[in-house]
Amino acid sequence: MEFVVMYSLRNGVDRSRVLETYPRHKEYYEAFRAAGGGLIALGPFQTPDPAAGSMGIFTSREDAERFIAGDPFTTEGLADPRILEWNAVHFG
């Protein structure tokens, strides 16, 4: 079982704030991974969707919750996250 964090931008958030915050977000996720956090993958969707602008995949709910708690996109009020359990089928 893996856990997917879906981020949607909060209403009224200007994209320029997202771009301004991105370097802190990148620094955060790199440090999270380096410290052993169970982050498998993350990134934005290329197709605009109001329900989900980006997502991250985690090995545990605890890591997903810990990531959300310190991510500048959430701590600075830009995105609303939600966690979904994902029963992924892996090949190979």
Side-chain angles (χ1 to χ4, degrees):
M1 183 76 56
E2 293 166 338
F3 295 83
V4 176
V5 174
M6 304 293 284
Y7 277 15
S8 58
L9 282 182
R10 287 189 173 173
N11 286 334
V13 169
D14 187 272
R15 292 249 178 221
S16 66
R17 285 199 55 214
V18 174
L19 295 175
E20 174 187 304
T21 306
Y22 178 77
R24 291 187 298 284
H25 168 73
K26 183 176 189 263
E27 182 179 306
Y28 175 73
Y29 73 69
E30 288 174 344
F32 187 89
R33 283 269 304 153
L39 174 60
I40 297 170
L42 59 71
F45 292 105
Q46 295 303 304
T47 305
D49 185 331
S54 65
M55 68 179 260
I57 303 170
F58 296 84
T59 57
S60 71
R61 176 175 287 279
E62 293 77 19
D63 277 336
E65 290 171 347
R66 192 165 49 91
F67 184 86
I68 289 168
D71 184 6
F73 283 163
T74 55
T75 62
E76 296 182 29
L78 303 178
D80 289 319
R82 60 190 173 110
I83 300 174
L84 303 169
E85 291 183 32
W86 185 34
N87 190 14
V89 175
H90 293 270
F91 303 97

